[in-house]
Amino acid sequence: DALPIYHELGHSAFLVDKEFLLNLGAEVKAYFDDEKAKLGPITPELRVRRLEEMDDAVAYWDGLRLAELFCDLFASYVCGPANVISVMDLAMANELPPTELISDYPPNAVRVWACHHILSTVQKTQPLLEDAFADWQAYERKFSVTPNYRTFCPPALVQKLADKTAGMIEDRF
């Protein structure tokens, strides 16, 4: 019952240290700037569309979504597998497609994957977490992935955000 407290405590930490938002926002921008630079030879119309999609993706990762992801990761950093299991349980209970882009929150698939990603190898191999994560993966496979999710939440970006957040938490706490 106390796990949500650590997510909420993450909000306090995020608000107090403006570097969290600045660094995560810079990580998003740098990721999509790199992706833009990788665009190969394509028609001008397709280039314009892809650049607009990437600009929309940068805008998608606003301060509210970055704060929510930070707070999920903060709670996972502090509470370990218990928080990850809680995030998975909540995500499955609401029965939304895991990749659905909802309100001010990152998609549940992002939240679960990022929280699981920052755990240590020892934490990831705890039997209860392994079972719960297998259940999550089976749940995730029931849904199709939306095109906007693929553009806005690519795994490489989510990994960069999770790694950056974990590093900032380690440096400050």
Side-chain angles (χ1 to χ4, degrees):
D1 291 336
L3 290 174
I5 292 170
Y6 293 99
H7 173 97
E8 297 308 321
L9 182 60
H11 282 288
S12 295
F14 192 83
L15 290 172
V16 167
D17 191 339
K18 300 298 182 203
E19 291 296 310
F20 291 137
L21 176 59
L22 293 173
N23 288 334
L24 293 175
E27 201 72 34
V28 171
K29 184 175 179 341
Y31 175 84
F32 286 106
D33 284 348
D34 287 348
E35 291 300 303
K36 288 176 183 179
K38 292 178 191 174
L39 285 176
I42 54 177
T43 65
E45 296 82 18
L46 185 55
R47 177 175 294 282
V48 167
R49 191 172 86 210
R50 286 294 298 139
L51 291 173
E52 287 174 352
E53 289 171 351
M54 287 189 243
D55 288 342
D56 289 347
V58 171
Y60 173 80
W61 284 103
D62 61 13
L64 292 172
R65 288 187 187 92
L66 290 172
E68 289 301 329
L69 183 60
F70 174 90
C71 294
D72 289 338
L73 292 165
F74 183 87
S76 289
Y77 188 86
V78 172
C79 301
N83 186 69
V84 179
I85 291 169
S86 176
V87 171
M88 288 186 280
D89 284 345
L90 288 171
M92 288 188 283
N94 72 25
E95 299 181 4
L96 288 173
T99 61
E100 186 169 319
L101 304 177
I102 52 174
S103 62
D104 298 330
Y105 296 89
N108 288 326
V110 167
R111 299 173 84 177
V112 169
W113 189 90
C115 289
H116 185 269
H117 174 72
I118 67 162
L119 296 177
S120 70
T121 302
V122 171
Q123 290 173 317
K124 287 179 185 174
T125 58
Q126 290 184 5
L128 182 60
L129 179 63
E130 286 180 326
D131 291 346
F133 196 63
D135 290 346
W136 168 257
Q137 290 173 316
Y139 175 77
E140 230 180 355
R141 285 190 294 272
K142 294 178 185 178
F143 300 91
S144 60
V145 177
T146 64
N148 280 347
Y149 179 84
R150 291 184 199 283
T151 301
F152 292 8
C153 306
L157 171 63
V158 176
Q159 181 175 344
K160 285 179 178 288
L161 292 173
D163 290 341
K164 183 68 168 182
T165 299
M168 290 189 298
I169 291 169
E170 286 174 10
D171 290 347
R172 287 168 176 78
F173 300 104

